[in-house]
Amino acid sequence: MMTQEQCSHRNNVQAAEKPQVYKVGIYGWRKRCLYFFVLLLMILILVNLALTIWILKVMNFTIDGMGNLRITEKGLKLEGPSEFLQPLYAKEIQSKPGRSLFLQSSRNLSVNVVNSNNKLLTQLVAGSRGFKAQGQMLEVKSTSGKLLFSADEEEVVVGADRLRVMGAEGAVFSSSVETPHVRAEPFKELRLESPTRSLLMEAPKGVQILAEAGDIHATCRNELRLESKDGEISLDARRIRLLGLLDGRASSSSSSSSSSGSRQTVYEVCVCPNGRLFLSQAGTGSTCQINHSVCL
């Protein structure tokens, strides 16, 4: 039989042989802080998700594009007014079928064409001071393809049937003008004027000046010359008036023949050796004599 001391010793040995159990986890204020951070993270995720959905809704994001911008097979499509804060590079810009294309800028609107080396070839600028185009050639054509206006470094071509100048001062040309026909509008006057220099009209086959229902006036300050090198000058009219000719003195024979004392009103046209014309009172015979006071 075991004594009392042996029993107590055995119980102590069995108690010492039992494994010890340790609690694993977060307890206390650490656990509360963890739950608080998890809750705050969930709130931030929900707010971020709500903001993302709101931005997608406001900006109108779809699988086809964003807002007025649509992505199609042919390129980008803009619906409604659009504003570009930086330069726009595009191969082609066109409006909807049946609608106009409207471009607006608070300053200048420029369209530039450059080559592969980024060198400017053609420029089109519409600004507050006006419209400017720069390039090697400018052409304006009608809807049928007819050339209306063309300009380059060598010449300017007007292909319209009629060129009309509406300015009060007319058209000013600093150099020569070549044209087959110059005509004024009906019931309007045609004036060719050179204020400070000479006016020359020449043609290899002739120059014709015709006024079918009016007069032709030629006025100059010094001399008016009609010269024909190989032909003749013809004055064909019912009446020819030579005004301002000098009066020459009648010869003595004509003075004696006018015994009646009546003043003669008939004159004879005489020609000096230098070609100057003068008048002489007509008599029974020729009264033309060299008058040194007239022919000099």
Side-chain angles (χ1 to χ4, degrees):
M1 294 199 55
M2 298 176 60
T3 60
Q4 185 177 1
E5 294 178 359
Q6 292 178 348
C7 291
S8 59
H9 178 72
R10 185 178 180 180
N11 293 331
N12 291 333
V13 172
Q14 292 178 356
E17 292 178 355
K18 290 183 179 179
Q20 296 181 358
V21 179
Y22 295 97
K23 295 182 179 180
V24 179
I26 301 175
Y27 300 93
W29 62 273
R30 294 184 179 88
K31 183 177 181 180
R32 289 191 294 270
C33 291
L34 178 61
Y35 288 163
F36 174 76
F37 283 117
V38 172
L39 181 61
L40 181 61
L41 182 60
M42 293 179 62
I43 293 174
L44 292 177
I45 293 174
L46 293 177
V47 172
N48 191 10
L49 181 60
L51 290 176
T52 304
I53 295 175
W54 178 75
I55 292 174
L56 292 176
K57 184 65 177 178
V58 172
M59 299 301 293
N60 194 13
F61 276 99
T62 60
I63 58 176
D64 296 331
M66 177 188 69
N68 296 331
L69 181 63
R70 295 290 183 266
I71 301 175
T72 62
E73 296 179 354
K74 297 182 180 180
L76 298 179
K77 180 179 179 181
L78 288 174
E79 298 179 354
S82 302
E83 182 178 356
F84 300 94
L85 302 179
Q86 297 295 331
L88 175 63
Y89 300 93
K91 181 180 178 181
E92 182 180 355
I93 300 177
Q94 62 180 3
S95 63
K96 285 185 176 181
R99 293 191 179 183
S100 59
L101 179 62
F102 181 72
L103 302 177
Q104 182 179 0
S105 174
S106 59
R107 292 187 179 180
N108 294 340
L109 180 61
S110 302
V111 179
N112 299 332
V113 178
V114 297
N115 58 8
S116 58
N117 298 327
N118 202 21
K119 182 180 179 181
L120 182 62
L121 299 178
T122 305
Q123 185 180 35
L124 186 65
V125 179
S128 57
R129 295 185 178 180
F131 184 84
K132 182 177 69 174
Q134 178 182 354
Q136 297 180 355
M137 183 179 60
L138 175 64
E139 286 187 355
V140 178
K141 294 184 179 181
S142 63
T143 55
S144 60
K146 180 182 179 181
L147 180 64
L148 300 179
F149 180 83
S150 175
D152 54 17
E153 294 182 356
E154 297 181 356
E155 63 179 1
V156 176
V157 178
V158 179
D161 296 335
R162 177 180 299 179
L163 175 62
R164 178 177 298 179
V165 181
M166 303 297 296
E169 298 295 332
V172 180
F173 301 94
S174 59
S175 184
S176 62
V177 179
E178 297 181 6
T179 177
H181 193 187
V182 179
R183 182 181 63 183
E185 292 185 354
F187 308 104
K188 299 291 184 179
E189 296 182 356
L190 175 63
R191 176 176 295 181
L192 303 177
E193 181 180 359
S194 178
T196 58
R197 293 294 185 271
S198 61
L199 178 62
L200 176 64
M201 292 186 296
E202 60 180 4
K205 293 185 178 181
V207 178
Q208 182 179 4
I209 302 176
L210 177 62
E212 296 181 352
D215 301 334
I216 296 177
H217 298 275
T219 306
C220 65
R221 184 176 182 85
N222 293 328
E223 296 181 357
L224 176 62
R225 296 183 181 180
L226 300 178
E227 181 180 357
S228 177
K229 295 182 179 180
D230 298 331
E232 61 182 12
I233 298 177
S234 301
L235 300 177
D236 186 3
R238 294 182 180 180
R239 292 184 301 175
I240 298 177
R241 301 176 60 185
L242 301 176
L243 303 178
L245 295 180
L246 297 178
D247 294 340
R249 295 181 180 181
S251 61
S252 58
S253 60
S254 62
S255 300
S256 59
S257 61
S258 56
S259 58
S260 61
S262 61
R263 186 176 181 181
Q264 296 183 7
T265 58
V266 180
Y267 292 86
E268 185 177 358
V269 179
C270 304
V271 183
C272 297
N274 58 4
R276 180 175 296 179
L277 301 179
F278 66 94
L279 298 179
S280 178
Q281 293 181 359
T284 56
S286 176
T287 59
C288 291
Q289 293 184 359
I290 298 178
N291 194 328
H292 297 285
S293 62
V294 177
C295 295
L296 291 179

